[in-house]
Amino acid sequence: MTKNKRLISICCTAPMMAMLLLAGCSSGGSSQAEGGAPVSSNSGSAAANTKKQEDVTITMWMRWPEFAELNKQTIAKFEAKYPHIHVQNTEVATSQYLPQLQAAIAGSELPDIFANYSSLPLYQLHSLDVVHSLNDVIGDRKIKFEKGMFTPGMTMIDGNIYAFPITSNHRDGYVMYYNKDVLQKAGLGEQDIPKNWDDLLKVGKQVEKKTDGKTYGVVMGMQARWLVNNIIAHLSSAITPEVLPNSHLNPHTGQYVYDTNGNVETLQFMKKLSDENVLHPNSLLIQPPEAATLFSGGQAAFLLSGLWEMPTFYQAGFKSFGVAPMPSKDGKAMYEEVNGDPKSALYVSKNTKHFNEVKLFLQFMMDEYYKGLVSNEINYSPIPEINQAVEIKDANLKKGLDIQDKLFFFAPHPFIKNLNTVQVNEAMSGKLPKEKPADILEGYLVGQITDVKQALKKIGDAQNQLLKKTTEEVKAKGVKVDSSDWQFADWEPFKSYEVK
């Protein structure tokens, strides 16, 4: 596929209102040769005396509301240090970000700096030639970042860094919140927090009984399929750790497996929660924020969700809660996989006219923003030594971040073995099975599906057939790629994979 055809394809869903995108976005020639030393921008050398330089404005798009205040603080400090450089930041709602980004790519209207989005991975942006190498930004500090942060195909292409990480990749892990007031009304305390599924059922039933059916054991926002998929993956990892929980790849066989004992038993357990009236009946109908509201309002003892809920509790004045690991089937350890795909990162437009100023700002972020993430008690930074040096005073957040940090292990991915597998992924784009475990669960709960193992097996079979067919097609074009690129015989569960 030619570059122009890719561009048309990637922007096919962009809204007709693309021409009304924010003004002031950068375009024109790059101020730096790819991977080379910076070339002086129109404003002059960044190392020169700032009083003699003309004013420069760099534009940025961010999409994470939890970082908005820190963004303001960091920009204010940066502009105070470099008065000739102004940072025009636009906070874009996540729901609007993808079409806005697609339209900006189509119209060559990208801002100087823009947030990543999982539906537009680095290898696609690189193939469109819209991202700038950040080797000179990260420099020697690369070794200070957490394991797996700079990974071929995910944050790097051909040895060049393109993604500037904002937070640790050990984020968005899942936890269980507990409502202290609800537990107290049921004659329970923090010593009764469930560590396994049997205990969760037992405590949930006691809560309902002691509150005359007015309060349920568990609530979750199951209208968010991504949340349900991730929670299923999390719980299943304790039962079938040999299959990567989120990607569903068995690294030993190179096959995708959905009908694992972990997935099957997790779906059966969730149905049991529903059948035995432990799961709040509205769970299937609501989004995560609504589930959090029911929980904080005393309608459930436990909420299954992520750490991002914590600031909303405090903002609403709700403090009578705690955080704990999610209960696994037998109380065994669970894990989350990190494959190098950044959870939160920034890219720089290939066409920026102000790379020197962008470089200064991003390097300033490494010093100020990373410390602010931890000191403002938002999240961990991508540099472990900063996280260890800054004290977190909030006990709930500290506990939640520690739970989350210990869950993540760097997992193998075909990109790190053979970057040519990117071409297979691109060819498979849009053809993967639409159904996910969350869809199977919904059908199971309402009685449309009775055999969850068979339903899950169909997903895995379809994905493996597509992988085999696509690999053969790409290989027939002369690309060096093989099914063995998906196999990693030396990988061990609960141990970060060592890239060779």
Side-chain angles (χ1 to χ4, degrees):
M1 183 182 291
T2 65
K3 187 189 301 182
N4 289 337
K5 287 182 179 178
R6 290 195 196 100
L7 192 57
I8 292 170
S9 173
I10 201 171
C11 299
C12 63
T13 61
M16 294 298 292
M17 297 298 290
M19 66 182 65
L20 297 179
L21 285 171
L22 300 173
C25 299
S26 295
S27 61
S30 171
S31 65
Q32 182 193 35
E34 191 70 14
V39 178
S40 179
S41 72
N42 293 340
S43 64
S45 171
N49 187 331
T50 58
K51 293 182 180 180
K52 297 180 180 179
Q53 295 177 326
E54 297 178 3
D55 284 356
V56 172
T57 297
I58 56 178
T59 53
M60 179 167 70
W61 288 354
M62 294 284 267
R63 65 174 183 87
W64 300 280
E66 64 268 35
F67 305 148
E69 186 58 35
L70 180 59
N71 295 339
K72 291 180 183 178
Q73 295 172 7
T74 306
I75 290 170
K77 290 180 181 178
F78 177 77
E79 291 180 341
K81 184 173 182 179
Y82 300 98
H84 74 292
I85 307 175
H86 309 284
V87 181
Q88 179 184 312
N89 178 42
T90 301
E91 300 285 347
V92 184
T94 299
S95 60
Q96 300 170 11
Y97 187 71
L98 180 58
Q100 180 164 318
L101 184 58
Q102 290 172 321
I105 293 171
S108 299
E109 294 285 343
L110 281 170
D112 296 298
I113 304 169
F114 59 100
N116 74 315
Y117 197 86
S118 59
S119 296
L120 283 177
L122 170 60
Y123 62 82
Q124 288 189 0
L125 296 172
H126 184 265
S127 69
L128 293 168
D129 199 29
V130 297
V131 286
H132 202 296
S133 168
L134 301 180
N135 294 349
D136 289 339
V137 173
I138 304 297
D140 294 339
R141 296 183 71 172
K142 179 182 175 183
I143 61 173
K144 294 182 176 294
F145 286 75
E146 68 188 30
K147 182 179 179 62
M149 183 60 75
F150 297 110
T151 306
M154 298 296 193
T155 51
M156 300 178 68
I157 300 287
D158 296 332
N160 292 311
I161 299 171
Y162 288 93
F164 178 87
I166 293 182
T167 67
S168 167
N169 268 356
H170 296 192
R171 65 168 295 202
D172 295 343
Y174 293 88
V175 296
M176 181 176 71
Y177 294 98
Y178 54 92
N179 188 313
K180 295 179 181 180
D181 295 336
V182 169
L183 292 176
Q184 185 177 21
K185 289 178 183 178
L188 301 166
E190 294 191 58
Q191 71 277 3
D192 299 301
I193 302 303
K195 293 181 175 61
N196 59 58
W197 290 355
D198 287 343
D199 288 346
L200 183 58
L201 281 166
K202 179 182 176 181
V203 171
K205 289 177 182 178
Q206 184 169 340
V207 166
E208 185 199 17
K209 182 179 179 180
K210 292 290 186 178
T211 60
D212 297 322
K214 297 177 181 178
T215 304
Y216 293 86
V218 178
V219 67
M220 56 190 295
M222 298 177 70
Q223 269 294 301
R225 294 290 185 270
W226 58 267
L227 175 70
V228 180
N229 279 321
N230 289 340
I231 289 177
I232 292 171
H234 185 66
L235 296 176
S236 71
S237 69
I239 303 170
T240 317
E242 64 270 19
V243 176
L244 296 175
N246 296 98
S247 61
H248 305 282
L249 176 71
N250 183 331
H252 294 152
T253 66
Q255 295 286 292
Y256 291 96
V257 188
Y258 286 77
D259 60 325
T260 62
N261 289 340
N263 281 339
V264 171
E265 292 179 26
T266 298
L267 267 59
Q268 291 171 341
F269 172 67
M270 287 187 170
K271 189 173 190 302
K272 193 171 185 179
L273 288 176
S274 178
D275 291 346
E276 299 192 16
N277 219 30
V278 174
L279 182 68
H280 196 295
N282 287 352
S283 292
L284 268 175
L285 309 174
I286 58 177
Q287 294 285 342
E290 297 169 284
T293 298
L294 291 177
F295 167 76
S296 61
Q299 292 194 38
F302 304 107
L303 170 70
L304 306 185
S305 194
L307 281 185
W308 60 83
E309 301 288 8
M310 200 174 293
T312 64
F313 293 151
Y314 288 134
Q315 290 166 11
F318 176 57
K319 298 180 180 179
S320 188
F321 70 91
V323 61
M326 281 194 187
S328 62
K329 179 186 176 183
D330 299 316
K332 293 180 180 178
M334 297 169 282
Y335 76 96
E336 300 276 353
E337 63 182 281
V338 174
N339 61 15
D341 190 16
K343 296 291 182 71
S344 305
L346 298 176
Y347 296 121
V348 173
S349 170
K350 180 74 173 290
N351 291 333
T352 180
K353 293 181 178 179
H354 308 299
F355 183 72
N356 284 317
E357 290 76 16
V358 166
K359 175 182 174 181
L360 273 180
F361 179 65
L362 294 181
Q363 290 180 332
F364 185 84
M365 287 185 72
M366 280 195 280
D367 293 322
E368 296 294 330
Y369 198 89
Y370 288 172
K371 287 188 291 186
L373 277 171
V374 190
S375 62
N376 289 3
E377 302 189 336
I378 301 170
N379 216 305
Y380 279 148
S381 82
I383 297 182
E385 67 180 32
I386 291 177
N387 305 334
Q388 296 162 6
V390 181
E391 180 185 4
I392 294 178
K393 296 180 180 179
D394 183 270
N396 278 331
L397 182 61
K398 173 64 175 171
K399 184 177 181 181
L401 287 173
D402 286 344
I403 291 170
Q404 179 174 265
D405 193 50
K406 294 173 183 176
L407 286 174
F408 288 88
F409 294 92
F410 184 68
H413 191 283
F415 291 179
I416 64 178
K417 192 171 185 179
N418 181 0
L419 196 55
N420 288 337
T421 57
V422 164
Q423 297 186 45
V424 177
N425 268 39
E426 287 184 318
M428 290 172 62
S429 181
K431 301 175 185 178
L432 291 168
K434 302 298 182 185
E435 279 194 315
K436 302 294 181 185
D439 302 300
I440 304 301
L441 175 61
E442 182 180 21
Y444 188 40
L445 291 177
V446 300
Q448 293 177 347
I449 294 174
T450 56
D451 190 341
V452 292
K453 184 173 179 63
Q454 183 59 31
L456 290 166
K457 186 176 185 300
K458 287 182 179 179
I459 301 175
D461 288 347
Q463 186 163 341
N464 287 322
Q465 289 169 11
L466 177 63
L467 175 63
K468 181 179 179 181
K469 177 176 178 290
T470 309
T471 302
E472 290 173 351
E473 291 173 349
V474 172
K475 193 174 181 178
K477 296 177 182 178
V479 179
K480 292 184 178 180
V481 64
D482 189 78
S483 60
S484 62
D485 292 328
W486 278 258
Q487 296 176 359
F488 298 82
D490 55 346
W491 177 76
E492 299 177 39
F494 298 102
K495 184 177 180 181
S496 283
Y497 184 73
E498 295 291 336
V499 180
K500 296 179 175 58

